[in-house]
Structures are given as structure tokens and as C-alpha cells.
């Protein structure tokens, strides 16, 4: 079976900063894969490349067999309808209510009536266990609630793929567990393909089928949770034990 998403020999540099240096990764339909790597290793850049927000200097990225790097703007807009994104730090619009935040991608891509929007917003808020907060403003919400509203917005369009950029960073243990559970539920209930980028190893183990380790601009290891846990490879052990190799300490297994 052809992978749903393929990164093929992707290179990206910003000036002298060579961030990705031959990244290869295949992601299959319905799986939940976590890309783990230190701060500044290029995780968010990889997601932006997949959405066509950034273009690589070299290499290709395929979604459903089509090369994202050569798509024109109209094709990119069409493709992005199939993606939900939980941005790093939630990125809610402060001046919009919760309802309008969740309705935003729907208004952008579709032509729903206000009643339909109400129904979808209510339904998505129920999915993230925050019923009845439509009229609240982002400034009235806790960090954990903001993440969940961000998640409700990410799934508003019933996407095929969800990109989670640091979904649990900065959250307390209770909210971290809540987000982990939601990621799992969405995968199980809706068969959504999930790509999670994080440096939270504990969450990575809980929510993913496979882990991909990003280091020095490449995926240096990819395997199932079991393969990672049983690996004797010193680099993989280093990741698990919290040494990312690029100056970033991460939470070790079991820690937060
Ligand atoms: N638009 C840009 N212009 C210049 N440099 C950029 C740009 N976007 C990213 N970078 C650089 O690319 C590198 C990788 O950034 P990226 O945001 O992907 O890191 P990350 O792995 O997501 O880190 P974190 O865990 O801190 O979010 C960083 O050195 C960053 O400064
Ligand atoms: Mg990032």
C-alpha cells in the first residue's frame, strides 16, 4: 500500500542554518506517528512543509501521491481542507469567541448556514468535553481549555489528517492526560491519521503507533513504540533517556 504522506530527501536551510538535511519519512493512512526531536530540530518546519506553507530547497513531499512542493495555491487550499492543525501554543484568535474560533476554518473553506455552524461547533465542543462555552472569549479560558478549543477547531472540518504541534507543552499533568486521551479517541473513533510533534516522550509513548526521531536534519530512527523501547541503539536510548543531542533536555519516560 502506498503511504498517505511521504517526505522524500527533504532539505531546508534558512541562510546558513541547515535545518533539514535529507529527511525521509513515510506515513500510512490511519496511523498515529510522533516526530520527536529537540527544540529547533525542525519539527514545526516539517509540518509547515507538509501544508505547503514552506517550500523545501530540495526533495519532495507527497500527499495521496501528489507532490505538495509543486502545487499551485489553489491546489494547496484544496489540499489543506483535509488537514486539521493544532498549532503550537493553540493560536486562538483573541478577539473572537470560542464559537467563531471553531467556525473559522469552516467559514474559510465551506458555505454552511449559521444553524449548521451552531450544530458543528456544539458537536466539536462536546467531543473535547467543553460543552456550552461557545460565547466565552479565549482570555477567559485556562491553558488546557485553550488547547482543547484549538483541538475542536482542528477537527471542525472533519479532516483526514490532524497535525498536532506540541499538544501538551506547558500543560499540567491532568490536562496533559486529557489531551493524550483526546488524541487517542480521535484516532480510534474517527480513524484520523495523526502526526504529532513533541519533545514530550511520555505523551509520545501514550498516543502513537510509531515514533520517528529527528536529529541533525534527518529521521535517524523510526519504529513502533515496542521497537523503540527495546532498542539497544545508543542514539535511541539517548532519546528515551532525555538526551536529545542538540542541547535540549526532554522529559524522560514516566516524567512530565
Ligand atoms: N521562517 C523561518 N525563517 C528563518 N528561520 C526559521 C524559520 N522557521 C524556522 N526557522 C528556524 O529553523 C529551525 C527549526 O525551527 P522549528 O520551528 O521547526 O523547530 P522545532 O523543532 O519546532 O522547535 P520547538 O520544539 O522549539 O518548537 C530553528 O532554528 C528556527 O529558528
Ligand atoms: Mg516547533
Amino acid at each position: 500500500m502506498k503511504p498517505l504522506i511521504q517526505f522524500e530527501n527533504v532539505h531546508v536551510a534558512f541562510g546558513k542554518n541547515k535545518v533539514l538535511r535529507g529527511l525521509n519519512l513515510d506515513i500510512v493512512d490511519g496511523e498515529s506517528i510522533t516526530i520527536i526531536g529537540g527544540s529547533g530540530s525542525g519539527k514545526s518546519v516539517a509540518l509547515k512543509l507538509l501544508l505547503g506553507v514552506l517550500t523545501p530547497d530540495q526533495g519532495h513531499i507527497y500527499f495521496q501521491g501528489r507532490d505538495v512542493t509543486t502545487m499551485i495555491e489553489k491546489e494547496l487550499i484544496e489540499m489543506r481542507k483535509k488537514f486539521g492543525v493544532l498549532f503550537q501554543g493553540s493560536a486562538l484568535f483573541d478577539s473572537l469567541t470560542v464559537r467563531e474560533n471553531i467556525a473559522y476554518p469552516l467559514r474559510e473553506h465551506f458555505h454552511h448556514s449559521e444553524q449548521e455552524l451552531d450544530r458543528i461547533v456544539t458537536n466539536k465542543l462536546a467531543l473535547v468535553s467543553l460543552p456550552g462555552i461557545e460565547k466565552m472569549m479565549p482570555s477567559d479560558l485556562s491553558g488546557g481549555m485553550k488547547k482543547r478549543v484549538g483541538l475542536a477547531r482542528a477537527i471542525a472540518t472533519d479532516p483526514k489528517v490532524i497535525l498536532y504541534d506540541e499538544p501538551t507543552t506547558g500543560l499540567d499533568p491532568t490536562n496533559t492526560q486529557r489531551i493524550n486521551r483526546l488524541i487517542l479517541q480521535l484516532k480510534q473513533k474517527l480513524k484520523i491519521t495523526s502526526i504529532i510533534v513533541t519533545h514530550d516522550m511520555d505523551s509520545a509513548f501514550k498516543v502513537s503507533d510509531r515514533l520517528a526521531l529527528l536529529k541533525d536534519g534527518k529521521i535517524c530512527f523510526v519504529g513502533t513504540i515496542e521497537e523503540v523501547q527495546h532498542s539497544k541503539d545508543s542514539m535511541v536510548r539517548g532519546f528515551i533517556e532525555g538526551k536529545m543531542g542538540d542541547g535540549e533536555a526532554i522529559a524522560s519516560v514516566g516524567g512530565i
Side-chain angles (χ1 to χ4, degrees), residues 6-235:
Q6 287 174 285
F7 287 83
E8 199 181 272
N9 192 29
V10 173
H11 290 250
V12 179
F14 298 101
K16 285 193 179 134
N17 185 7
K18 291 182 182 157
V19 179
L20 298 182
R21 288 175 262 170
L23 184 136
N24 289 295
L25 183 64
D26 287 357
I27 298 168
V28 296
D29 202 354
E31 81 168 321
S32 170
I33 185 163
T34 295
I35 302 172
I36 199 145
S39 194
S41 59
K43 303 182 300 297
S44 296
V45 165
L47 296 186
K48 286 176 191 157
L49 288 165
L50 175 55
L51 291 169
V53 177
L54 286 176
T55 315
D57 302 321
Q58 197 186 317
H60 299 276
I61 297 140
Y62 298 95
F63 175 65
Q64 295 180 319
R66 299 203 44 222
D67 191 347
V68 178
T69 65
T70 58
M71 284 184 190
I72 57 168
E73 196 57 28
K74 206 172 146 221
E75 293 169 311
L76 284 173
I77 290 168
E78 211 36 52
M79 181 197 79
R80 286 180 197 137
K81 283 185 190 175
K82 298 181 184 162
F83 284 82
V85 187
L86 180 59
F87 294 99
Q88 193 162 1
S90 306
L92 298 179
F93 300 108
D94 288 334
S95 59
L96 301 180
T97 61
V98 165
R99 176 189 191 270
E100 284 311 308
N101 264 285
I102 298 171
Y104 195 87
L106 294 162
R107 289 194 196 281
E108 215 177 10
H109 293 305
F110 303 97
H111 301 282
H112 293 292
S113 68
E114 290 303 311
Q115 270 155 323
E116 279 170 321
L117 286 178
D118 277 337
R119 186 185 57 75
I120 298 169
V121 170
T122 302
N123 175 272
K124 301 307 175 197
L125 279 175
L127 267 175
V128 298
S129 304
L130 287 174
I133 66 158
E134 284 87 341
K135 293 203 177 89
M136 286 175 82
M137 300 302 288
S139 56
D140 302 329
L141 308 175
S142 70
M145 288 167 88
K146 279 186 193 161
K147 285 270 183 192
R148 285 190 281 155
V149 171
L151 188 50
R153 181 174 65 185
I155 57 174
T157 55
D158 293 327
K160 184 160 181 56
V161 184
I162 306 190
L163 310 181
Y164 296 93
D165 197 350
E166 310 269 3
T168 57
T169 303
L171 296 183
D172 64 19
T174 312
N175 278 303
T176 296
Q177 297 307 341
R178 223 178 236 148
I179 292 285
N180 288 344
R181 268 202 307 277
L182 280 169
I183 295 174
L184 278 173
Q185 269 174 21
L186 289 174
K187 171 186 149 56
Q188 283 154 2
K189 272 194 204 161
L190 310 176
K191 308 269 180 267
I192 292 179
T193 304
S194 313
I195 306 177
I196 302 125
V197 305
T198 188
H199 32 84
D200 179 348
M201 204 68 177
D202 188 54
S203 285
F205 277 132
K206 289 202 172 107
V207 302
S208 2
D209 301 314
R210 290 197 303 153
L211 288 186
L213 310 184
L214 175 58
K215 189 172 185 292
D216 301 330
K218 291 188 176 89
I219 298 296
C220 62
F221 181 93
V222 58
T224 61
I225 301 292
E226 211 174 27
E227 284 165 350
V228 171
Q229 279 168 333
H230 292 123
S231 174
K232 301 252 187 312
D233 184 304
S234 60
M235 194 158 47

